[in-house]
Amino acid sequence: MSDKVKILTVFGTRPEAIKMAPLVKEIEKNSDTLDSVVCVTAQHRQMLDQVLELFDIKPDFDLDIMKNNQNLWSLTSDVLLKTKEVIEKVQPDIVLVHGDTTTSMAAALSAFYAKVPIGHVEAGLRTFDKYYPFPEEINRVFVDSLSTYFFAPTDKSCQNLINSQLPSKHIYKTGNTVIDALLYTVNNHSEEIEGLKLKSDLKTVLLTSHRRENFGEPIKNICSAVLELVQNNKNIQVVYPVHPNPNVQKPVFELLDNKERIHLIKPLEYAAFCNLMKKSHIILTDSGGVQEEAPSLGKPVLVLRDTTERPEAVEYGTVKLVGTDKNKIITNVQLLLDDENEYKKMAEAVNPYGDGLASKRIVDILKQIKA
Ligand code: UD1
Ligand code: UDP
């Protein structure tokens, strides 16, 4: 039997890939003591492949499960059944999953059924509302309840785990690997965005929105707010890399396509997106990852949700929850456009989520597993 710790890392969507990539690289660097096996479910296809290419990760297993307009039931059963085979073949010492996606939840359940210990990266995030975000809040609670090792990004996430009566022996505050990915990317890449013609004399408002609970009326409200803001402010331009989910594409293109100073573009490769965040004046988003990255870059973030599992940046004042009410979005963006002091208060660069060393800390812990 090998003395090396065999680590099976499973991920499937863009944000998991971005946040697991620096960790996979760090595990690979320690090949004298750690044996790295990577399995992608490909819950996302194109958006996952963009990240694999950027970080030069070649998965050992690719389950290739994505279907157009997929649903939670088939996704869950595909991940569960297909990861069973991988776990049986690899016989890992630990399975690492990330965050709160269906890939993470079903892969963790699969590992639990096989009685393999689970390490949860980005453990302990909570909104304490089971339908917001849906189904992510329950996914993360479930993954935590199945896990043995908890890699929590902040003091608050550690405290959430302790409050949930989870065994505290293996709760570690590591920082969030998203900051490792962000710092690596902004320091090593500066990709321009092909075909996007932004005017340098206009302020750029960057928008992303894809959450399930924003499907229907909320996403239409967001679009109407953006349209009105652009009409009322001739000095702004909006860039929206539109998520490929048909529930997002349809309303967004119906309401915002071919409008002056609104650029609807394909999801950007991560380095280009980081570059765009750096150039932006204000960011409007319902994304989890963007809420963590933008404060590091000193960009004010207005969150298009009523709750967040990432309260740290809200407390620092760089992130504000504005929800999806049209008038509330307009009022808050207008305030940042008109009031320099308000803008400055929010534009301070703070880094509550990490220092770029989270992967190293996690690897140091993984090395001890067989010790
Ligand atoms: C998923 C995660 C969500 C995460 C988000 C990140 C779940 C339940 N949801 O939501 O937590 O915040 O990813 O973006 O795990 N599609 C493509 N190409 C791609 C990716 C998606 O065409 O590369 C389309 C497909 O039609 C797919 C649909 O988007 O069926 C939805 O993908 P899915 O992963 O089910 O949901 P997301 O909304 O992306
Ligand atoms: N992102 C990207 N290209 C884009 C939009 C976002 O690379 O066009 C990155 C972003 O920087 C962040 C991650 O994708 O790291 C967030 O993914 P998403 O918003 O899809 O998921 P969430 O974080 O909400 O789960």
Side-chain angles (χ1 to χ4, degrees), residues 11 13-23 47-48 51-52 54-55 98 177-182 185 268-270 273-274 293:
F11 53 92
T13 65
R14 168 175 67 192
E16 292 166 77
I18 290 169
K19 291 167 165 184
M20 284 301 220
L23 181 54
M47 296 204 309
L48 172 78
V51 184
L52 295 177
L54 175 69
F55 287 91
H98 183 278
T177 56
V178 76
I179 305 297
D180 306 15
L182 179 72
T185 306
L268 289 170
E269 175 271 327
Y270 185 54
F273 188 76
C274 290
E293 292 161 341

Side-chain angles (χ1 to χ4, degrees), residues 202-205 229-230 233-238 261 337:
L202 300 182
K203 289 178 174 164
T204 298
V205 176
L229 279 161
V230 167
N233 296 277
K234 303 293 177 217
N235 62 339
I236 66 168
Q237 57 198 341
V238 172
R261 285 175 287 113
L337 290 172

